[in-house]
Amino acid sequence: MAARVLRPLPRPKPYNRLQIILQHLKISKQTDSTSEVLLEKKGGAGIITLNRPKALNAVNLSMIRQIYPQIKTWEKDPETFLIIIKGTGGKAFCAGGDIRAITDAGKVGNKLAQDFFKEEYTLNNAIGTCKKPYVALIDGITMGGGVGLSVHGHFRVATEKTVFAMPETAIGLFPDVGGGYFLPRLSGKIGYYLALTGFRLKGRDVLKAGIATHFVDSEKLPALEKDLIALKSSSTENIADLLNSYHMKSQADQEKDFVLDEHMDKINSLFSGNSMEEIVKNLKQDGSPFAIKQLETINKMSPTSLKLTLRQLREGASMSLQDVLMMEYRLSQACMRGPDFYEGVRAVLIDRDQSPRWKPAALEEVSDEFVDDCFKPLGSNDLKL
């Protein structure tokens, strides 16, 4: 469904009252609390509210088709100084993409399995290249597709309720939505560790890992939003100053050490292998409780996903965001063709037996030739940005 974009109402003229009423109805529809995404203009701010609280604000294709043109419209609007994105319900910013719909589509070869990834990645790129300051209030669960709606923007505000993860290797996918861009750019090998194990970061640790830019107590977010809307001159510097002032006043978890601090030396050495087999060998040879725990986690993941993910991050480390998203689109379609994505979704989200039967079942059975094939251009079907 084509998105309805918000435009200022024209001045009433006798001959176009009908258009004015229709325009009003369009705007009302977009701010109706039953809509999956709410698009509003308050002061100088364009506000995007993900509004599927029962689904933890998981993003679907119709939401993407509303958000993308709206960002493009606000970007050109001289009266819009910044864009804010947030979620409703108090539990999640956005728990990911609408995986169930993609699974159903992919099984029957429905075009949605192409369209969803193409349009989602195009939206990720629009956020990454947005000319207006973009502020994501990542309060609550922020995983997968929710990371793609936030991490590429100028500012990401975490709270004590934030839970970040890229858990895709557990469902036969890979950390997409530009994961190949931002993960290898985190300090040391932290991004590789998060990508391969799906480890969850919580609260202030999301800031300490370099994923969030600021930390604000959850209860202060309404006041922060009000102050952002009230800014008279919304330069990136002004917004940064305001966010910094809230950040400095936030007390939650201030004294806690970074959860991965004590393991950083091991993460940096053990996850620096050039292949998955090498990383596994490093973990086995190390033999520490930390290494054994990571080995147990990695052994549950799709071997195909692990190999695709490691190469995705190694290549993405020196690519532009646009080239990474084009590469990831090729990988998404390779995953739609193979069995592991459907099996992972079955085991984790549908039957919930947590016992996926991966094909192939071992890393050494995933050949370099197969991995190479997944990265090959798709010709006229490639993502164009």
Side-chain angles (χ1 to χ4, degrees):
M1 186 181 76
R4 298 177 171 92
V5 297
L6 306 186
R7 294 189 181 88
L9 292 178
R11 283 207 187 105
K13 288 180 187 168
Y15 61 83
N16 71 354
R17 276 186 196 282
L18 181 60
Q19 280 102 313
I20 294 165
I21 292 163
L22 289 172
Q23 183 72 27
H24 176 69
L25 288 173
K26 284 181 181 181
I27 291 173
S28 304
K29 201 164 182 181
Q30 286 208 300
T31 52
D32 170 10
S33 63
T34 58
S35 303
E36 293 177 322
V37 60
L38 312 177
L39 304 165
E40 303 166 86
K41 183 77 189 305
K42 286 186 185 173
I47 301 171
I48 301 162
T49 307
L50 308 174
N51 190 38
R52 294 183 72 203
K54 286 182 181 159
L56 298 176
N57 298 324
V59 64
N60 60 30
L61 189 55
S62 86
M63 292 162 77
I64 290 165
R65 286 178 173 173
Q66 291 172 71
I67 296 167
Y68 175 77
Q70 188 61 73
I71 286 176
K72 288 297 182 190
T73 301
W74 280 333
E75 206 173 16
K76 293 190 192 93
D77 175 21
E79 300 301 309
T80 304
F81 305 122
L82 80 154
I83 296 169
I84 298 168
I85 186 166
K86 59 181 182 170
T88 52
K91 284 187 183 171
F93 165 68
C94 171
D98 192 351
I99 293 292
R100 293 286 285 267
I102 301 160
T103 311
D104 295 344
K107 278 180 182 167
V108 295
N110 186 310
K111 200 166 167 288
L112 173 71
Q114 294 169 30
D115 293 347
F116 180 86
F117 291 105
K118 256 188 186 165
E119 296 183 43
E120 182 183 31
Y121 297 175
T122 302
L123 173 56
N124 300 149
N125 183 55
I127 293 165
T129 56
C130 188
K131 293 179 181 72
K132 298 284 167 80
Y134 184 96
V135 182
L137 305 177
I138 54 171
D139 187 33
I141 299 164
T142 304
M143 296 184 185
V147 177
L149 292 177
S150 53
V151 78
H152 305 296
H154 301 90
F155 302 108
R156 287 89 62 192
V157 181
T159 75
E160 72 282 4
K161 286 158 55 178
T162 304
V163 183
F164 164 95
M166 295 298 279
E168 289 82 0
T169 54
I171 56 163
L173 208 53
F174 58 96
D176 63 340
V177 297
Y181 182 80
F182 82 87
L183 287 164
R185 285 167 173 78
L186 299 177
S187 80
K189 292 289 172 182
I190 227 172
Y192 291 79
Y193 171 70
L194 296 172
L196 297 170
T197 66
F199 184 80
R200 294 181 173 196
L201 292 169
K202 295 174 184 172
R204 213 174 266 271
D205 288 334
V206 180
L207 171 78
K208 289 175 178 166
I211 292 149
T213 57
H214 295 81
F215 180 91
V216 173
D217 297 333
S218 182
E219 64 182 36
K220 303 269 172 56
L221 286 184
L224 171 61
E225 190 183 325
K226 210 171 154 190
D227 285 348
L228 283 167
I229 290 164
L231 278 174
K232 290 286 170 272
S233 156
S234 300
S235 65
T236 306
E237 292 74 23
N238 285 358
I239 293 164
D241 288 346
L242 180 60
L243 292 173
N244 288 339
S245 73
Y246 271 83
H247 174 83
M248 299 307 282
K249 288 183 283 199
S250 293
Q251 303 301 317
D253 303 335
Q254 214 165 16
E255 305 309 314
K256 277 191 187 169
D257 287 335
F258 179 41
V259 68
L260 295 174
D261 253 354
E262 59 181 310
H263 305 301
M264 275 318 299
D265 289 345
K266 282 200 185 297
I267 287 170
N268 290 339
S269 62
L270 301 175
F271 284 83
S272 63
N274 294 327
S275 67
M276 269 319 299
E277 287 87 347
E278 201 179 317
I279 290 171
V280 166
K281 190 175 138 205
N282 290 345
L283 291 166
K284 281 180 178 166
Q285 281 177 349
D286 182 271
S288 65
F290 175 77
I292 289 163
K293 197 176 171 193
Q294 305 324 308
L295 204 51
E296 284 169 4
T297 301
I298 281 171
N299 282 335
K300 291 177 187 161
M301 304 305 188
S302 155
T304 300
S305 290
L306 291 168
K307 286 209 168 177
L308 293 182
T309 297
L310 182 60
R311 177 157 160 191
Q312 170 206 1
L313 266 61
R314 285 170 62 85
E315 295 205 2
S318 57
M319 285 176 154
S320 68
L321 175 60
Q322 290 71 35
D323 287 342
V324 164
L325 291 166
M326 287 190 261
M327 166 179 75
E328 290 179 357
Y329 181 70
R330 292 167 185 170
L331 294 180
S332 77
Q333 296 312 292
C335 291
M336 292 303 103
R337 294 193 297 269
D340 276 8
F341 172 63
Y342 306 103
E343 175 57 12
V345 171
R346 179 205 66 73
V348 176
L349 299 176
I350 299 172
D351 298 342
R352 303 191 176 200
D353 56 30
Q354 311 301 326
S355 303
R357 293 179 290 279
W358 305 122
K359 289 180 189 168
L363 282 168
E364 50 275 17
E365 291 171 33
V366 183
S367 70
D368 291 346
E369 293 73 32
F370 172 80
V371 173
D372 288 343
D373 264 355
C374 295
F375 282 82
K376 277 187 180 156
L378 299 170
S380 62
N381 289 324
D382 258 333
L383 174 63
K384 292 159 193 74
L385 293 172

